[in-house]
Amino acid sequence: MFRSLLPRLREKSVAARRPASMADLMEDFWREPFGALPALFKDMEYPAVDVSEADGVVTVKAELPGLEPGDVELSVENDALVLRGEKKFADEEKKDDYHRIERSYGAFSRVIPLPGKVREAEAKARFDKGVLVVTLPRDAAEAARKITIES
C-alpha cells in the first residue's frame, strides 16, 4: 500500500532493517497484523496451572503431558508450591529428519504462590490424563479474620 506511494523512504528503512517513518510502521502492520503477538507470549511460564480454592482446600492443576509421577518433584516453600522436573527428549529413531520441533524439552521449575498457609503434611498429589492435581488443605489457624470497623 504505502510502498507504491513512498518507494525511496521504504527502501531506506528496509536497508536499515527498522522502520524509518509512520508509513513504514503502517506497511509492516498491514503486511503482518499479528506479527508482534509471539513476543507477548514469550514469557509464559511452564507448566500452565490453574489454582482454585473451595471448602478450605487449595487445588492446583498443572498440565504435564508425557510425564510420569517420578519425573516431577513437589514441595511447599514460603507459602508457595514449587514444581520441578524434566521433560526428556525421546529420540528413539535416528532416521527421522525433523523439520520443526515445537514441543518443549528440558528442566523446568515453577513457583506458584498459594493464597495462604496450608497444612503441608496433608497435601496430596495425583496424575490424571497428563494433568497433575495437587490438593492442599488450608491451615484454619491462619484463615483470614474479619476486622470490625468502629465508628
Side-chain angles (χ1 to χ4, degrees):
M1 180 165 119
F2 286 109
R3 189 179 312 152
S4 62
L5 299 174
L6 304 167
R8 287 189 205 120
L9 188 57
R10 183 70 181 160
E11 288 172 9
K12 287 180 185 177
S13 61
V14 169
R17 294 186 178 175
R18 62 181 173 80
S21 69
M22 188 60 139
D24 287 332
L25 289 173
M26 293 299 292
E27 176 71 22
D28 292 342
F29 174 76
W30 287 114
R31 182 176 296 125
E32 194 174 351
F34 301 107
L37 284 181
L40 295 175
F41 298 109
K42 71 177 181 176
D43 293 329
M44 289 186 69
E45 296 185 67
Y46 179 84
V49 297
D50 295 336
V51 180
S52 62
E53 182 178 2
D55 300 325
V57 176
V58 177
T59 303
V60 178
K61 295 179 182 177
E63 291 181 345
L64 296 168
L67 294 180
E68 299 293 328
D71 298 332
V72 180
E73 178 185 315
L74 293 171
S75 62
V76 176
E77 301 171 13
N78 301 324
D79 298 330
L81 178 67
V82 180
L83 282 156
R84 289 186 184 95
E86 184 172 3
K87 191 173 181 184
K88 296 184 173 103
F89 182 71
D91 188 7
E92 295 178 8
E93 292 197 32
K94 300 289 183 188
K95 64 182 180 180
D96 286 348
D97 291 331
Y98 286 97
H99 295 280
R100 185 180 189 116
I101 296 177
E102 293 185 353
R103 298 186 317 159
S104 61
Y105 298 97
F108 62 88
S109 177
R110 176 94 192 254
V111 178
I112 302 139
L114 297 172
K117 298 265 186 211
V118 295
R119 295 190 303 264
E120 300 164 23
E122 298 175 29
K124 294 180 181 167
R126 63 182 167 81
F127 261 105
D128 185 24
K129 298 179 184 174
V131 177
L132 175 67
V133 180
V134 182
T135 54
L136 304 145
R138 289 281 306 257
D139 191 352
E142 295 293 326
R145 294 179 183 90
K146 191 172 186 178
I147 300 172
T148 57
I149 301 172
E150 298 176 8
S151 57

